[in-house]
Amino acid sequence: MTTEAAHFEAPRGMRDFYPAEMAVRNAIFDAWVRSARAFGFAQYDACVVESLDLLKRKSGEEIVEQIYAFKDKSDRDLALRPEMTPTLARMIVGRQGQLAFPLKWFAVAQCFRYERMSRGRKREHYQWNLDVVGEACISAEVEVLACACHALSLLGLNAGEVKIHLSSRALLADLLAKAGILPAFHAATFLALDKRGKMEDADIRRLLQESGLDSAAIEAVFRVAGIQSLDQAAAMLGEQTPSLATVQTLFRLANEYDLGAMLVFDIGVVRGLGYYTGVVFEAFDAERKFRALFGGGRYDNLLGDVGGAPMTAVGLGFGDVVIAELLADKGRLTGLQAKLNCAVGYMEDIQQPVARQLVRALRRSGQSVDMALHAEKPKQFFGRVGKGEFKKAIYVGPDDVARGIVRIKNLDDRTEEEKSLSDPVGR
Amino acid sequence: MTTEAAHFEAPRGMRDFYPAEMAVRNAIFDAWVRSARAFGFAQYDACVVESLDLLKRKSGEEIVEQIYAFKDKSDRDLALRPEMTPTLARMIVGRQGQLAFPLKWFAVAQCFRYERMSRGRKREHYQWNLDVVGEACISAEVEVLACACHALSLLGLNAGEVKIHLSSRALLADLLAKAGILPAFHAATFLALDKRGKMEDADIRRLLQESGLDSAAIEAVFRVAGIQSLDQAAAMLGEQTPSLATVQTLFRLANEYDLGAMLVFDIGVVRGLGYYTGVVFEAFDAERKFRALFGGGRYDNLLGDVGGAPMTAVGLGFGDVVIAELLADKGRLTGLQAKLNCAVGYMEDIQQPVARQLVRALRRSGQSVDMALHAEKPKQFFGRVGKGEFKKAIYVGPDDVARGIVRIKNLDDRTEEEKSLSDPVGR
């Protein structure tokens, strides 16, 4: 790429959506919105500019370092939000007395992170947020997961192609406690375990050591992290705890939604954000070629922490970048740019009013129609409109006007049909 | 409002969209997108973060003062875009060799301006941008205006309720030249005349004086600004000029689209942005209670100025704030929040699987369905779902399961129908 061309690019890490990319984005957004509506979620939104203070108090540590922060002309500390959940918490707490709970809301929110760029990591992306607030039952997690899977199926992805890895921070805490790790060390242990797969185990041991764990405790942590199944977890606990029962129930309910085939128990899922308290999950393509498609979990303390009445909540964030990579990899992003129904052209200025009346009639009938902006020779017109953008084309010449007819050319199969100029949409 | 509540508000000038406000926004966006598609425009978008340099070079002076600018961690000068047109120009120039012209594109773009707040002035809004690039004929202006009027009609507004005030900077320049104002003073004169209605005439005279016009020239400017009709403009010019002919043709073509009744010649329309070169227009509610609904015009130099090959263009920006105020004023914003098709509840955990199967069948049939997240007593369930959010409700109790039926209650008229549990969607 020449420097000249680079001059016309979007700022580093930001995306331009030319019509072809926009068609992909619209297909993804459409699957999100249709799924959320089918599941009875109500749409909300908020400005991408948020108060820095709210974000600092309520986002994960890693996120705070990556916030695009700036001051406005009144010296207010503002930021481009890195995630939607603190904003959701703020909005709910702001009207906590008037809203009816449990509440099911969704948003398609642009989020920004200043981070080093690699495949699938832009500095901005859109994220589908799906949250249930005010419901303690595990059925909230199930609805959220089922809705996300509905969106996957609308995008043509099935249970063989995506796996949802699921665990529970509450269960992990119980397991750590059972293994002798004091609760005071749990937060640091979660943070360290969340790095598994991204860091060498030796480095994770070092992190745990720095957090104050001795080598026996560190071995205990790794024994817990080595659990392969819910049965193993049950055996290690040696008793039925509420945290274990919750996860077991979730797997049972998931089967009622045919989610079972997609769901995998994975003690290694911890999530980086500090606010999760219960079930946590992350979805990946089955071949693990890409980063997480979506992730989420239960966060029972956030509303209270933000300053509202304590209230339980479950949420999911599903970004537009990784899903687009996966769909592209599977060849499912072709033909998304809808063809326009019809292009209308005309030979001489004198036919322009007739062509325009025709266009009005076609548009009124619900068709998408491009009206030529000046007179063209037939060759010029058909050359311009015959590049795959249109399904049909109508070219108005003096003979058509004299005969009172329109010739509708099907650009796919090159057939032509005649209709009356006075009733161009009729059969 | 208490300080406590204020703490949970969006940053000053930024908007939260709770579901009720989101329904209004969606109705407006939907009219924009449907109209643009009916008229054959292709959708594009770009990140709201733009390079400050591009914006400084290409926006109006007033706008540059109001830009939300900031530096990223690599000391890049970035900004939240105040308008979409410079970004559009950048994107087109970046692929000028590959794109086919004339090109018709639209976007629904969030834009930011740091300005003093008053009614209808937020610091961010969404703007529908509709542009035709690479077409010199006045039919481009007509398509853009007709498309905007199509959106107005989808929103229930007719020609009696909105007026589009239209003029031409080229015509104004010819008139000023004829009145003896040298071209070197035209840009400053445009800027001064754009303030009419917002400033006293005495202040505008002072502005003109400061720009170097003597009092005879200032009187000449006001004579031109006092023109009431195209006929008067023609009389003052005393000859047929291309600029006059263009506007006359536009009015004739507009009649073919039934736009005539909405269109008013108004020499006072100049537009604040520096890049306009030809026809300019602004639409207002007929009673002039609100600020402009949309505005735009021809900008023939922008692509060249940005660094591309020179190319003619016409564009329109239509914000979401003023139209929402006008629709609210006319009482047209009721009933926009679509009811969900159905709420499903159940009495005891034992009926949950049956209820969930029912929900799956209804959702598969395309309905939007809320599934209860825990067992409820009938009174609790119907109290929760009977507040206008749902059209129908189904409550599954042990008797229903035993009899193999579902009772579907219509929440509007309180009627009830029975269907088979095995075929709840059938007739």
Side-chain angles (χ1 to χ4, degrees):
Chain A
M1 190 168 300
T2 67
T3 348
E4 191 56 43
H7 182 66
F8 301 114
E9 284 180 5
R12 191 168 165 76
M14 314 299 173
R15 293 176 297 169
D16 284 339
F17 293 87
Y18 284 84
E21 290 98 51
M22 195 68 200
V24 172
R25 183 176 119 181
N26 278 340
I28 293 169
F29 283 20
D30 187 56
W32 288 345
V33 171
R34 280 171 58 201
S35 300
R37 290 201 177 138
F39 277 69
F41 286 78
Q43 194 171 3
Y44 74 101
D45 199 5
C47 184
V48 67
V49 173
E50 191 47 272
S51 112
L52 181 61
D53 180 51
L54 175 76
L55 298 171
K56 275 192 164 166
R57 278 185 296 137
K58 285 304 123 212
S59 288
E61 244 179 78
E62 190 193 17
I63 283 190
V64 168
E65 281 171 31
Q66 298 170 343
I67 289 180
Y68 273 95
F70 60 98
K71 281 182 189 288
D72 76 3
K73 293 176 191 186
S74 307
D75 225 35
R76 274 188 201 87
D77 281 310
L78 299 175
L80 303 179
R81 66 175 167 233
E83 51 156 347
M84 195 62 175
T85 311
T87 299
L88 172 73
R90 171 179 70 65
M91 285 176 67
I92 290 179
V93 170
R95 296 202 186 167
Q96 209 163 7
Q98 302 130 62
L99 295 166
F101 297 94
L103 158 162
K104 289 161 63 182
W105 279 8
F106 81 98
V108 177
Q110 196 183 13
C111 298
F112 286 83
R113 286 197 196 183
Y114 193 87
E115 54 190 343
R116 218 154 281 128
M117 304 217 311
S118 60
R119 194 179 63 160
R121 288 266 178 191
K122 300 284 175 186
R123 287 180 180 163
E124 51 90 12
H125 71 154
Y126 286 87
Q127 200 181 70
W128 182 32
N129 275 252
L130 205 55
D131 291 87
V132 177
V133 177
E135 177 58 59
C137 286
I138 194 73
S139 53
E141 278 88 339
V142 176
E143 279 306 291
V144 162
L145 289 169
C147 187
C149 294
H150 193 83
L152 291 175
S153 71
L154 289 179
L155 291 166
L157 294 166
N158 60 46
E161 295 173 309
V162 175
K163 294 291 169 210
I164 304 169
H165 297 247
L166 184 141
S167 182
S168 157
R169 285 199 174 186
L171 175 60
L172 183 57
D174 284 348
L175 287 162
L176 290 172
K178 188 80 185 180
I181 315 295
L182 293 175
F185 296 105
H186 288 188
T189 308
F190 290 168
L191 268 182
L193 286 180
D194 182 53
K195 307 283 183 211
R196 283 194 87 190
K198 300 161 212 160
M199 265 186 192
E200 297 294 326
D201 277 0
D203 294 323
I204 290 168
R205 279 173 210 277
R206 196 167 316 123
L207 278 180
L208 290 168
Q209 205 175 6
E210 285 164 14
S211 306
L213 272 71
D214 62 25
S215 52
I218 292 171
E219 289 322 304
V221 167
F222 273 86
R223 268 199 309 283
V224 168
I227 288 174
Q228 299 287 331
S229 68
L230 262 184
D231 288 344
Q232 267 187 31
M236 190 178 285
L237 276 175
E239 54 177 340
Q240 185 69 350
T241 66
S243 66
L244 177 65
T246 296
V247 178
Q248 287 167 332
T249 305
L250 186 148
F251 273 85
R252 184 174 53 76
L253 294 180
N255 280 325
E256 290 174 14
Y257 266 144
D258 285 348
L259 280 176
M262 233 184 229
L263 221 53
V264 185
F265 175 72
D266 181 350
I267 194 83
V269 176
V270 185
R271 306 282 294 153
L273 294 172
Y275 50 64
Y276 290 111
T277 53
V279 165
V280 280
F281 52 83
E282 279 173 359
F284 294 90
D285 61 294
E287 299 170 56
R288 291 298 288 254
K289 288 168 75 173
F290 302 99
R291 294 184 309 117
L293 288 161
F294 62 79
R298 184 171 285 273
Y299 51 100
D300 279 352
N301 300 330
L302 186 58
L303 267 71
D305 288 352
V306 160
M311 205 169 238
T312 178
V314 177
L316 166 148
F318 187 149
D320 69 331
V321 173
V322 182
I323 184 75
E325 289 178 329
L326 177 60
L327 291 170
D329 187 61
K330 294 192 178 288
R332 311 249 170 97
L333 292 183
T334 53
L336 287 178
Q337 219 175 335
K339 286 189 181 191
L340 296 176
N341 293 114
C342 195
V344 176
Y346 57 95
M347 192 179 287
E348 305 149 337
D349 281 348
I350 195 141
Q351 290 103 34
Q352 192 192 55
V354 170
R356 208 180 290 279
Q357 287 313 311
L358 187 58
V359 165
R360 290 186 65 197
L362 295 172
R363 284 177 183 159
R364 263 200 305 265
S365 78
Q367 299 189 40
S368 52
V369 185
D370 180 65
M371 164 77 190
L373 297 171
H374 54 251
E376 289 159 294
K377 301 236 183 289
K379 200 178 152 184
Q380 225 185 334
F381 171 73
F382 285 106
R384 175 171 68 80
V385 306
K387 291 170 183 151
E389 200 186 339
F390 301 96
K391 288 184 199 160
K392 295 180 179 182
I394 299 173
Y395 182 72
V396 183
D399 294 352
D400 303 301
V401 177
R403 289 177 56 207
I405 56 124
V406 296
R407 287 170 297 134
I408 305 174
K409 181 167 261 175
N410 185 317
L411 296 172
D412 292 331
D413 60 14
R414 300 272 142 194
T415 56
E416 192 173 277
E417 63 170 328
E418 277 193 12
K419 287 195 178 174
S420 159
L421 243 181
S422 57
D423 183 19
V425 232
R427 67 220 63 223
Chain B
M1 194 169 300
T2 66
T3 349
E4 192 54 42
H7 182 63
F8 301 113
E9 285 179 6
R12 192 167 166 78
M14 313 300 172
R15 293 176 297 168
D16 282 340
F17 292 87
Y18 284 85
E21 290 97 50
M22 195 67 198
V24 170
R25 184 176 118 182
N26 278 340
I28 292 169
F29 283 20
D30 186 58
W32 289 345
V33 172
R34 281 171 60 199
S35 300
R37 293 200 175 139
F39 278 68
F41 286 78
Q43 194 171 4
Y44 74 101
D45 199 5
C47 184
V48 68
V49 172
E50 192 45 276
S51 108
L52 182 60
D53 181 52
L54 175 77
L55 298 171
K56 274 193 166 165
R57 280 186 295 138
K58 284 305 122 212
S59 287
E61 245 179 77
E62 190 193 16
I63 283 190
V64 169
E65 283 171 32
Q66 297 170 344
I67 289 179
Y68 272 93
F70 61 98
K71 281 182 191 292
D72 75 3
K73 291 174 193 188
S74 307
D75 223 36
R76 277 189 199 86
D77 281 309
L78 299 175
L80 303 180
R81 69 178 165 233
E83 50 156 347
M84 194 64 174
T85 311
T87 299
L88 173 73
R90 170 179 70 65
M91 286 176 67
I92 290 179
V93 169
R95 296 201 187 169
Q96 208 163 8
Q98 302 129 63
L99 295 166
F101 297 94
L103 159 161
K104 290 161 64 182
W105 277 8
F106 81 98
V108 176
Q110 196 183 14
C111 299
F112 286 82
R113 287 196 193 181
Y114 192 87
E115 54 191 346
R116 217 152 282 128
M117 305 219 309
S118 59
R119 195 177 60 158
R121 289 264 180 194
K122 299 285 177 187
R123 286 176 180 167
E124 51 90 13
H125 72 153
Y126 286 88
Q127 200 181 68
W128 184 32
N129 275 252
L130 205 55
D131 292 86
V132 178
V133 177
E135 177 58 58
C137 286
I138 193 75
S139 53
E141 278 90 337
V142 176
E143 278 310 286
V144 163
L145 288 170
C147 188
C149 293
H150 193 83
L152 290 176
S153 72
L154 289 180
L155 291 166
L157 293 166
N158 60 45
E161 295 173 309
V162 175
K163 294 292 167 206
I164 304 169
H165 296 247
L166 184 142
S167 183
S168 157
R169 283 198 176 186
L171 176 61
L172 183 57
D174 284 348
L175 287 163
L176 291 172
K178 188 80 185 182
I181 314 295
L182 293 174
F185 295 107
H186 288 186
T189 307
F190 289 167
L191 269 183
L193 286 181
D194 183 54
K195 306 283 184 211
R196 283 194 87 192
K198 299 162 213 160
M199 264 187 193
E200 297 293 323
D201 278 359
D203 294 322
I204 290 167
R205 279 171 211 275
R206 197 168 315 124
L207 278 180
L208 290 168
Q209 206 175 5
E210 285 165 13
S211 307
L213 272 72
D214 62 24
S215 52
I218 292 171
E219 287 322 303
V221 167
F222 272 86
R223 268 200 309 283
V224 169
I227 286 173
Q228 299 287 331
S229 68
L230 262 185
D231 289 344
Q232 266 187 31
M236 192 179 282
L237 277 175
E239 55 177 340
Q240 185 69 350
T241 65
S243 67
L244 178 64
T246 296
V247 178
Q248 286 167 333
T249 306
L250 186 147
F251 273 87
R252 184 173 54 73
L253 294 180
N255 280 325
E256 290 174 13
Y257 265 144
D258 286 348
L259 281 176
M262 230 183 232
L263 220 53
V264 184
F265 175 72
D266 182 350
I267 194 82
V269 176
V270 186
R271 304 285 293 155
L273 295 171
Y275 50 64
Y276 289 113
T277 53
V279 164
V280 279
F281 52 83
E282 277 171 0
F284 293 91
D285 62 293
E287 299 169 53
R288 292 298 288 255
K289 287 166 75 172
F290 302 98
R291 294 183 312 117
L293 287 161
F294 63 78
R298 185 170 283 273
Y299 52 98
D300 279 353
N301 300 330
L302 185 57
L303 267 72
D305 289 351
V306 161
M311 205 169 237
T312 178
V314 177
L316 166 147
F318 188 147
D320 71 330
V321 174
V322 182
I323 185 73
E325 290 178 327
L326 176 60
L327 291 170
D329 186 62
K330 295 193 177 288
R332 310 248 170 97
L333 292 183
T334 52
L336 289 178
Q337 216 175 335
K339 285 188 182 190
L340 297 176
N341 294 115
C342 195
V344 176
Y346 56 96
M347 192 179 288
E348 304 148 336
D349 281 348
I350 193 131
Q351 290 102 35
Q352 192 192 52
V354 170
R356 210 180 289 277
Q357 288 313 312
L358 187 59
V359 163
R360 291 186 65 197
L362 295 171
R363 284 177 183 159
R364 265 200 305 264
S365 78
Q367 299 190 39
S368 52
V369 184
D370 181 66
M371 166 75 191
L373 298 170
H374 54 250
E376 290 159 294
K377 299 234 183 293
K379 199 178 153 184
Q380 227 186 333
F381 171 73
F382 285 106
R384 177 171 67 80
V385 306
K387 290 171 183 152
E389 201 187 337
F390 301 96
K391 288 183 198 157
K392 295 179 179 179
I394 298 173
Y395 182 73
V396 182
D399 294 351
D400 304 301
V401 178
R403 290 178 54 207
I405 56 124
V406 296
R407 288 171 295 134
I408 305 174
K409 181 166 259 175
N410 184 316
L411 294 173
D412 291 331
D413 61 13
R414 301 271 141 194
T415 56
E416 194 174 277
E417 62 171 330
E418 277 192 13
K419 287 195 179 174
S420 159
L421 243 182
S422 58
D423 183 20
V425 225
R427 65 220 64 221

